[in-house]
Amino acid sequence: MIKSSGAALPQPGEGMRGEGGHIGYLLRQAAAGQHLRMERALADLGVTPPQFVVLTMLAAYPGHSNADLARLALLTPQTVSVIVANLKKASLVEARPHASHGRIVQLQLSAKGEDLLTQSKARVRELEARMLEGLSVAEEQTIRRWLARQAAGQD
């Protein structure tokens, strides 16, 4: 059995959890922090961060299937199926059969879903604005470009 050294664990941003840490860990830590802030900001609206992502992707790319949404939202198809079922139950998403593929169902936001997404996006934009405070437009653009390159697998 491994025993604790008794030393205090570093807080986010300290020690190996700070600037000297591995960049991959820092990205994961930052993503986890943002996820928690989103959970708190959206809680009273009854929206979880994964639901927010699915609603956002559905608004940006309407008419896609659950499988497409899973790829766009970086979630498993099983997770998206549960999310979509809950969103349908809440009348936030509407489903219609695909014109030529009988087994494919196309999804779109309902008016109620659009309203909820508008409220949710306003809160998430506030979080993002706070996250970017103190950065110049050029610095923000550099970060965005780098993150997009990393997501695309471009070194």
Side-chain angles (χ1 to χ4, degrees), residues 98-133:
H98 190 277
S100 59
H101 297 287
R103 290 175 40 185
I104 296 176
V105 176
Q106 293 180 305
L107 302 168
Q108 65 185 36
L109 294 182
S110 66
K112 184 178 173 183
E114 288 176 9
D115 289 343
L116 182 61
L117 181 59
T118 298
Q119 293 175 59
S120 299
K121 277 185 171 182
R123 293 182 184 194
V124 171
R125 275 192 208 101
E126 286 178 28
L127 290 175
E128 290 176 351
R130 277 188 256 141
M131 184 177 11
L132 296 168
E133 272 179 12

Side-chain angles (χ1 to χ4, degrees), residues 27-107:
L27 279 170
R28 186 169 172 3
Q29 182 177 241
Q34 180 64 4
H35 185 91
L36 181 58
R37 287 186 291 276
M38 282 180 65
E39 273 183 1
R40 290 174 179 159
L42 299 173
D44 69 308
L45 295 176
V47 179
T48 65
Q51 288 172 329
F52 174 76
V53 171
V54 169
L55 290 168
T56 300
M57 291 299 116
L58 198 46
Y61 308 104
H64 286 277
S65 67
N66 278 11
D68 293 332
L69 280 175
R71 284 186 284 277
L72 289 167
L74 304 175
L75 297 167
T76 66
Q78 296 85 351
T79 298
V80 170
S81 288
V82 171
I83 289 171
V84 167
N86 289 333
L87 295 174
K88 281 189 210 173
K89 252 190 268 183
S91 301
L92 300 170
V93 169
E94 299 167 345
R96 63 183 194 287
H98 190 277
S100 59
H101 297 287
R103 290 175 40 185
I104 296 176
V105 176
Q106 293 180 305
L107 302 168

